[in-house]
Amino acid sequence: MSLYRFKIISLYRNYSQAAAAVSNQPHNYGEAVVKKNPSFAKSLYVGNFVHAAFTKNTKEVSLPKLNKLFGICVPKEFGGLELSSASVSEAYKRINFADLRENIAHGSVVKCINMTGTDEQKRKILPQLASGECVASFCIYENKHGYDIQNNETKATQKNGKWIINGSKQWVMNGERANMFLVLAKTMDECNRPESEHNFFTTFLVKKSQNSGIKITAEGNHYNVTFNNVEADCILGSENEGLNCYTMLFNSDFLESSSATLGEVKNIVQRTSKHFHTHDRSSLIKLGKLNSHLYTMDCVLEFTSQILDTYDPKSDYELILARLFVSETTRSCLNLLNDLGLSKKSFKYIENSLLFEGRSNLLPVVGALLGIQYAGQFMAEDVKQLRNPLMFPKYTLSHIMKIQRSLKNKPKLNHYIEKHLHPSLQKQALDLEYCLSRLQFGIQNMFINLGPDTCYYQMILERANSVAMDLFALAAVLHRVSQKLYNSNTQPYPTELIFANVFCNSIREKCSQSVDEILDAPHNVVDPHYKVIGQNCFVEKNYFFEHPLKRNIF
């Protein structure tokens, strides 16, 4: 019995330590576990399916005539339209993609003011922003540090009771037209907290005037903004807590930018569809893939908007997954358009916008950390019982049986998702539940294999996020198709059912492969080998130039 107990304890020791370590990781995205209204996307990591969000009915979007999108996020009491997330998404699908940056920057500042501004600031500033009388943009990033905000050098110091800003910001959208800037500046000198190793920042609002000391220079599609003894108009939010505003800015435009991207791809396809040669079987298959991609992106954005409007307005992870899915699927669409003979000039602008999207490398890891932190806290009860198997023998045996079923690739399916779908989608519902159970098993084993260092295995985290993203997209597609089938009494096998079947088959295959790689981590995954090969390339390159004679090159 003692040997058996030792084996059980050693099996779960890493799992317990990892779950505890991950659940205690600090973050700026609010509470990770919300039992009353749990996150739909984060719940995927623990094998739960939130039926409350899944069973919501999609409402018809009523969109007023819009000349500009300046006031769509401004509350009605300050002269704005205060549109729902679904209406905002629909509005950005129709926007001219060339105007996207201007509206994104303006809307992000509006959201920050609405969330952190004082009542007086809102009454004074938001009506001007809603009407377009005042155009806003944000100045956050610097050339040397990019997304490494902690090392930014722009400073704000107090002189005669006023805040004076000095420094330079790069990659500012809409810099030339904007007459109000949201500026993130270091205020560490004012903190009097030398024992802390972290820099403190404050967010300021600065209005541009002729002699304000602000210099703006164009650099490609962006602008550089230099502040030379510029007096700030006011502080936005709390002093020395400007990073809270940065967190809002980081993910404030995911729904808008994703919707605009989808709208632009649709426009490209519509403009060029008459030139496609549909008599070729290969071209027909590519057209089918292209339209399938457009359909799934539409489903994901509709599902995300619905969650934001009717279920949980603080759905941070859902927005990340939607943005990642749209970006990844758009790249696939552009490749198909290129294969169909469409000139790259036709989609060069949108291709460049994806290429230079700096957050795309961060979002998979950020998303996975949100998911595993939720899993770590949610599994705390499991950890308590698994740490004492002799005290909880029934739970321990059931958990071992569950692991055995998962190892045989035959997980127990007990969520009954098919009850919430049209009867024609029973097979797809079982596939979704299968993938859900596999992801949960993969996360548990990731904790066991990697232990407390789980957070540092970036490539494994990206795989976990990829599975969660695909399951979120599959849920969105099945939700849309099920509603279409219930509302249609005509075709027995409509196009929507074909979409669901094709997408579901591809997701199940991808999920199995990704989870298998998570289970094999860290030793049997190829990523470390690619890293070594990459390092050797630099070594060989340097050796090539420094020792040409030794290589017998000449």
Side-chain angles (χ1 to χ4, degrees):
M1 179 65 71
S2 61
L3 179 61
Y4 173 76
R5 183 175 185 274
F6 173 77
K7 287 184 178 180
I8 293 294
I9 292 176
S10 61
L11 175 66
Y12 291 116
R13 181 178 292 116
N14 279 351
Y15 170 49
S16 303
Q17 292 175 346
V22 168
S23 65
N24 290 328
Q25 288 290 323
H27 63 87
N28 295 321
Y29 294 90
E31 294 296 326
V33 177
V34 183
K35 294 184 178 180
K36 184 178 179 181
N37 204 18
S39 166
F40 183 91
K42 292 175 186 176
S43 294
L44 300 175
Y45 279 77
V46 294
N48 286 346
F49 196 83
V50 183
H51 299 96
F54 190 66
T55 54
K56 299 290 184 182
N57 292 324
T58 303
K59 299 179 181 179
E60 292 292 330
V61 176
S62 57
L63 191 65
K65 185 177 180 181
L66 299 171
N67 295 323
K68 292 291 183 180
L69 302 184
F70 290 130
I72 60 175
C73 295
V74 178
K76 291 181 179 179
E77 60 179 308
F78 301 117
L81 296 173
E82 199 175 353
L83 297 183
S84 66
S85 297
S87 298
V88 169
S89 177
E90 189 62 31
Y92 271 88
K93 288 177 187 175
R94 304 178 188 182
I95 193 176
N96 184 346
F97 203 73
D99 298 331
L100 174 63
R101 296 178 182 277
E102 172 185 315
N103 287 278
I104 287 290
H106 184 89
S108 296
V109 175
V110 167
K111 290 180 181 179
C112 280
I113 295 174
N114 199 37
M115 290 292 291
T116 63
T118 63
D119 292 340
E120 182 182 353
Q121 289 172 343
K122 293 177 185 179
R123 286 194 300 268
K124 182 179 179 181
I125 301 172
L126 287 181
Q128 300 177 37
L129 297 177
S131 64
E133 175 188 347
C134 185
V135 179
S137 186
F138 55 86
C139 301
I140 303 293
Y141 306 109
E142 299 183 7
N143 191 33
K144 293 181 181 178
H145 310 294
Y147 283 91
D148 184 11
I149 301 298
Q150 280 288 342
N151 290 315
N152 276 4
E153 298 175 1
T154 299
K155 292 185 178 181
T157 56
Q158 279 193 324
K159 293 182 179 179
N160 300 324
K162 298 180 180 179
W163 286 98
I164 306 299
I165 302 174
N166 284 280
S168 182
K169 299 288 185 178
Q170 281 74 35
W171 305 307
V172 178
M173 295 181 286
N174 194 30
E176 189 172 47
R177 187 180 175 191
N179 43 28
M180 175 183 288
F181 293 109
L182 185 152
V183 185
L184 185 71
K186 186 184 298 185
T187 49
M188 183 64 185
D189 295 339
E190 310 300 324
C191 293
N192 194 24
R193 288 186 251 181
E195 70 279 0
S196 175
E197 296 179 358
H198 297 285
N199 291 321
F200 290 85
F201 295 86
T202 303
T203 307
F204 299 92
L205 288 178
V206 179
K207 280 195 173 182
K208 182 174 65 175
S209 60
Q210 188 172 3
N211 299 316
S212 60
I214 299 175
K215 180 181 178 182
I216 300 174
T217 56
E219 186 173 340
N221 294 325
H222 298 85
Y223 294 88
N224 297 334
V225 180
T226 302
F227 299 90
N228 184 17
N229 291 324
V230 175
E231 182 180 323
D233 289 86
C234 62
I235 289 177
L236 186 62
S238 302
E239 186 178 326
N240 300 322
E241 294 183 3
L243 291 182
N244 291 334
C245 261
Y246 170 68
T247 302
M248 296 178 198
L249 287 170
F250 185 82
N251 60 4
S252 63
D253 66 322
F254 287 153
L255 181 64
E256 292 86 343
S257 58
S258 301
S259 301
T261 299
L262 173 58
E264 182 70 8
V265 177
K266 282 185 174 180
N267 289 336
I268 294 172
V269 173
Q270 289 173 359
R271 288 197 304 265
T272 57
S273 59
K274 57 185 179 181
H275 302 298
F276 293 146
H277 301 291
T278 55
H279 62 276
D280 181 20
R281 182 181 179 184
S282 176
S283 297
L284 282 174
I285 292 175
K286 291 172 183 175
L287 276 173
K289 290 181 179 179
L290 186 61
N291 281 283
S292 179
H293 289 331
L294 293 176
Y295 184 82
T296 54
M297 284 193 287
D298 217 354
C299 290
V300 167
L301 291 176
E302 180 184 90
F303 190 57
T304 305
S305 300
Q306 173 190 286
I307 290 177
L308 292 171
D309 286 333
T310 65
Y311 177 66
D312 187 358
K314 296 181 180 179
S315 304
D316 49 358
Y317 193 23
E318 284 78 0
L319 287 168
I320 290 175
L321 292 181
R323 180 57 191 163
L324 284 171
F325 184 81
V326 169
S327 297
E328 182 178 304
T329 311
T330 297
R331 291 187 180 93
S332 299
C333 289
L334 298 184
N335 290 334
L336 287 169
L337 288 169
N338 188 47
D339 292 341
L340 286 166
L342 184 65
S343 171
K344 281 199 170 187
K345 292 181 180 179
S346 303
F347 53 83
K348 184 178 180 181
Y349 192 85
I350 189 171
E351 187 176 48
N352 289 340
S353 72
L354 293 174
L355 182 63
F356 295 105
E357 171 60 81
R359 295 173 298 184
S360 59
N361 293 328
L362 301 174
L363 288 182
V365 177
V366 171
L369 289 175
L370 288 172
I372 66 170
Q373 185 187 53
Y374 181 87
Q377 294 190 12
F378 193 92
M379 295 173 182
E381 294 298 322
D382 295 348
V383 170
K384 290 179 183 178
Q385 298 182 62
L386 293 173
R387 281 176 172 171
N388 299 284
L390 296 183
M391 295 291 293
F392 303 96
K394 184 178 179 180
Y395 180 82
T396 302
L397 289 174
S398 66
H399 199 78
I400 292 174
M401 292 175 64
K402 182 178 180 181
I403 290 176
Q404 289 298 320
R405 287 194 299 267
S406 297
L407 287 173
K408 294 177 182 178
N409 204 10
K410 294 181 179 179
K412 186 176 181 180
L413 308 180
N414 54 8
H415 286 290
Y416 307 106
I417 300 175
E418 67 273 11
K419 291 185 178 180
H420 303 280
L421 293 173
H422 191 273
S424 302
L425 297 171
Q426 183 176 5
K427 184 261 182 187
Q428 288 82 359
L430 292 174
D431 284 343
L432 173 58
E433 192 165 346
Y434 163 83
C435 295
L436 188 67
S437 299
R438 292 292 290 167
L439 175 59
Q440 179 194 20
F441 182 61
I443 297 302
Q444 288 179 334
N445 277 268
M446 181 172 67
F447 284 160
I448 292 172
N449 295 336
L450 305 181
D453 295 331
T454 301
C455 297
Y456 303 106
Y457 285 87
Q458 177 178 339
M459 302 308 294
I460 307 303
L461 293 176
E462 288 187 4
R463 283 175 171 82
N465 184 81
S466 177
V467 178
M469 178 185 72
D470 288 337
L471 294 188
F472 182 73
L474 180 56
V477 171
L478 294 183
H479 179 266
R480 161 82 78 86
V481 173
S482 180
Q483 288 196 347
K484 290 286 185 180
L485 291 173
Y486 273 123
N487 296 331
S488 174
N489 298 317
T490 53
Q491 300 177 351
Y493 295 102
T495 306
E496 284 81 7
L497 191 57
I498 300 175
F499 278 129
N501 192 41
V502 170
F503 190 64
C504 185
N505 289 337
S506 65
I507 292 303
R508 175 162 179 151
E509 182 179 349
K510 287 173 62 179
C511 173
S512 296
Q513 180 181 349
S514 297
V515 171
D516 286 342
E517 291 174 348
I518 293 173
L519 295 176
D520 288 338
H523 303 296
N524 297 326
V525 182
V526 298
D527 298 322
H529 302 298
Y530 284 128
K531 181 180 178 181
V532 172
I533 293 172
Q535 290 172 336
N536 288 342
C537 288
F538 286 101
V539 172
E540 291 177 4
K541 182 179 179 180
N542 293 334
Y543 185 78
F544 178 89
F545 287 109
E546 293 176 7
H547 307 281
L549 296 178
K550 293 181 181 180
R551 295 288 297 272
N552 295 321
I553 295 173
F554 300 107

